[in-house]
Amino acid sequence: MDTAEDEKFMRLAIALAESNITSLAGGPFGAVIVKDGQIVAQSGNQVLTLKDPTAHAEISAIRQACENLGSFDLTGCTIYTSCEPCPMCLGAIYWAHIDKVYYGNTRTDAAAAGFDDEHIYKELEKPIPGRVLNMNHLLREEAIRAFTLWGKTDEKQNY
């Protein structure tokens, strides 16, 4: 059940998105990560500022939260994002083990505003040879050695 606190954090994510428009820092997106009722990270989209296509609000907030918490594992965290996460951000949310996502705008709303990720969703459904992006399998016999070594390493930390 959504609470007044959830709405407070979502309003902050929305305010970050709006602030990005007036500051010209990036696209109209904002994200806030919370753990145990405390904000551990917040960011607007920084694609334009950093000239980095991966600097979406969610990714930037995840990076900041990991640094602030000293961990790559954000279990126990909730992310509030002004828009339904794109495929890249959704993947990062899964990798970070964030427990819950609240989002404001939908991906349809984003498409109507000129941020259409539908082509990525469609590409991911296709077999690799049928994708627009030219992907080539090369030197697997050599590349597999890294995974073999990883499997034999006692000091590894799985994630």
Side-chain angles (χ1 to χ4, degrees):
M1 186 169 118
D2 304 341
T3 67
E5 190 168 77
D6 292 320
E7 290 179 3
K8 174 183 83 172
F9 295 130
M10 178 56 78
R11 285 188 178 102
L12 177 55
I14 293 166
L16 288 165
E18 291 173 350
S19 173
N20 253 22
I21 298 165
T22 57
S23 69
L24 303 176
F29 304 96
V32 177
I33 298 178
V34 174
K35 185 170 186 175
D36 300 325
Q38 300 297 313
I39 295 172
V40 295
Q42 59 184 3
S43 183
N45 175 291
Q46 299 179 51
V47 169
L48 300 176
T49 305
L50 299 178
K51 296 173 182 44
D52 178 353
T54 69
H56 289 197
E58 298 92 336
I59 300 286
S60 298
I62 288 169
R63 289 173 179 159
Q64 189 183 107
C66 290
E67 184 175 333
N68 291 342
L69 295 174
S71 177
F72 59 79
D73 186 342
L74 299 181
T75 298
C77 291
T78 299
I79 189 167
Y80 299 83
T81 179
S82 63
C83 187
E84 182 179 353
C86 75
M88 176 183 69
C89 292
L90 188 58
I93 289 166
Y94 274 106
W95 277 114
H97 305 286
I98 292 174
D99 293 347
K100 190 182 281 189
V101 177
Y102 286 94
Y103 62 94
N105 293 311
T106 66
R107 71 192 217 196
T108 304
D109 298 329
F115 298 94
D116 193 356
D117 300 327
E118 196 58 35
H119 68 285
I120 299 172
Y121 286 104
K122 288 179 181 175
E123 281 289 297
L124 292 173
E125 294 173 0
K126 296 177 185 176
I128 290 174
R131 294 181 184 169
V132 171
L133 183 61
N134 187 342
M135 295 181 63
N136 301 283
H137 197 182
L138 183 64
L139 297 178
R140 181 184 180 271
E141 298 80 17
E142 293 179 33
I144 199 72
R145 291 190 307 239
F147 286 153
T148 302
L149 182 59
W150 175 258
K152 295 176 182 177
T153 302
D154 292 331
E155 294 82 24
K156 68 180 172 264
Q157 185 176 3
N158 289 324
Y159 56 92

